[in-house]
Amino acid sequence: MKSKIKKRIFQGLPASKGVIIGKVKKFDLKSLRIERKQAKSKREELSKFDKAKRRIIKELESVLEHFRGSYRKIIESEILIINDPVIEDEVKKEIEKGYTAEFAFIESMRRFLSKMEESESTLFRERAREINHLVRKVLEVLQGKPSLIDVGEGTVIVSDDISPIDVFSLSKVNDVGIVIEYGGPTSHSVIVAKSLKVPMVCAARGILENVKDGTEIIIDGWSGKIIINPSDETKKEYERKPILYGDAIEKIIKGPRRGKGKERKRVSIMGNAAGLEEIEEIVKYKGFGVGLFRTELLMWDPAIWHNEDTLAEVFEKGSKMVFPDPLIVRLIDIAGEPTIPGFEEKNPFLGLRGIRFLLFEKEIMKMMYRAILKASNLGNIRILLPMVTTLKEVEEAKSILEKAKKELTREDVPFDNYIPVGMMIETPASALMIKEFTSAVDFFSIGTNDLTQYTLAVDRSHPILAPLYSEFHPSVLNLIHHVVKGAHPYRKKVAVCGEMASDPLGAIILMGLGIDELSVHPDAIKLLYGLFQWLEYKKVKEFARKTLEMPDAKTVKEKTIEFIKKNIPPLAVFYE
Ligand code: PEP
Ligand code: MG
């Protein structure tokens, strides 16, 4: 029989490290088609929905104990939604109209989801995808589809998307891997896959059409490569890869100290966190404090968010954990939707986000300042302003900080009066106007995730345009260099806290462009410490300058790999 397989090698985006050689199990969630169908018996549909609901709650509760912090909140919010009496009422009303349980459920969730998906905040949209997962899960159960929990060893799940909870369920099975067509390296699923060490490749567009259940497949979470129906020779080659990769990392970490004395530029390696659990990891890997404490996930816990003192407690704990190293708290970077009912934006990424939202909702901003100030007595907390485009925004933000300080003084609450204030550089506007900002802030932190999307005009979570989105585009590199050149004469440090800093290729270029601090995923800290031991600053600087003149992102990446092969030979195995 003629094989229908058209393409054998796919290049996705590397998401979670590791190699798996296994058999495909497709979870093509798009196949869950729901028709507007009349049911035979209302009673049967009601009981079907009830049973599905109970089963899902049981399943979610059984995984709940294994999650902490932000992931736990995701599961808790799923349980809350499925248990929500308003949603349940709506489902029942639809069933009473004569529709099937599936249709009734979809209808009631539709409005709820579309509100979240339109949000300008990546985190909200990611969260909507996770709730989408809940919808799909309920539908799977209602339609009697197989569950992810039933997969065996040596399976590679190929799906359009996957939820963090499913990633967790899969991690219980040995030797499993995940390939998804959508989703970028910033999604929660990827973060969970990384922490549970489940190899994963994302943004592998078209993969579903090219595999069937049982197809042999290799996925390489380091390079993002996927090989369908590999030859015996290729299989042997990939069987050796985990050992090669492991050895390489050991060699890099123990590497020679080449860049000594004046040759050596000190780049501090800090960690990114969204909760106290990640701060624990950063401390474990000996990172130089927290370069970016994202506060958006705290928002999902009303107990924390609506209570200034509980928020302050979180910051205070974080500050103690990293002391004397810094804890850089970023003010919340979200859309207006939660507080502005009925307000919808056509271009959410170009709308009321970051500092714009905070200046629109000044009370929220002041409350955050108060919480941060209350926690600042050890003197190691710094404030970071998100998504700035104009100097006026910084000035206004600082005047609100002054108000918060005055209030606390009146209330006799002690705080660090000299708390440093920095700003994110996430737009070409702020990067190009860097000099204007030098007198207004104490430090800069470049958010390459957003800077790339605004420079290249590519939505950072766009599934189809993912190949166009690259931090290695020389336009982005030139903006970064412009920031360093503008800030250093005024003795202002420049950090990078976007994903680019966690990527060895990105980290090398950033070091060469003169970046002072890299704030990275906690699990990248050790590798980067090792990596920098191999490099002479002079050489890296010379190389990084050349990238500014290169024609495109592809050339920059290729040339950086060549540079690595010459200067850090053990790292080369990841790029063969
Ligand atoms: C960035 O834009 O690079 C960044 C670090 O911020 P976030 O990913 O939270 O938007
Ligand atoms: Mg950003």
Side-chain angles (χ1 to χ4, degrees), residues 4 29 61 165 185 190 204 206 218 241 251 286 294 299 321 354 404 476 480 510:
K4 278 190 183 160
L29 298 169
E61 280 175 349
I165 297 120
V190 173
I218 298 177
K241 287 237 171 183
K251 275 191 202 145
K286 301 191 170 52
R294 289 185 167 99
M299 170 93 177
M321 283 160 82
V476 180
I480 295 172
L510 293 171

Side-chain angles (χ1 to χ4, degrees), residues 8 26 107 142 146 168 179 286 430 442 511 517 519:
R8 277 200 52 222
K26 278 169 82 165
E107 268 304 281
L142 286 171
F168 175 80
V179 178
K286 301 191 170 52
S430 58
D442 300 301
M511 178 198 200
E517 294 168 349
S519 191

Side-chain angles (χ1 to χ4, degrees), residues 373 401-409 415-417 419:
L373 288 167
L401 175 62
E402 286 314 307
K403 274 190 194 144
K405 283 184 180 175
K406 273 194 191 128
E407 280 181 11
L408 293 180
T409 309
F415 59 86
D416 173 10
N417 198 21
I419 192 161

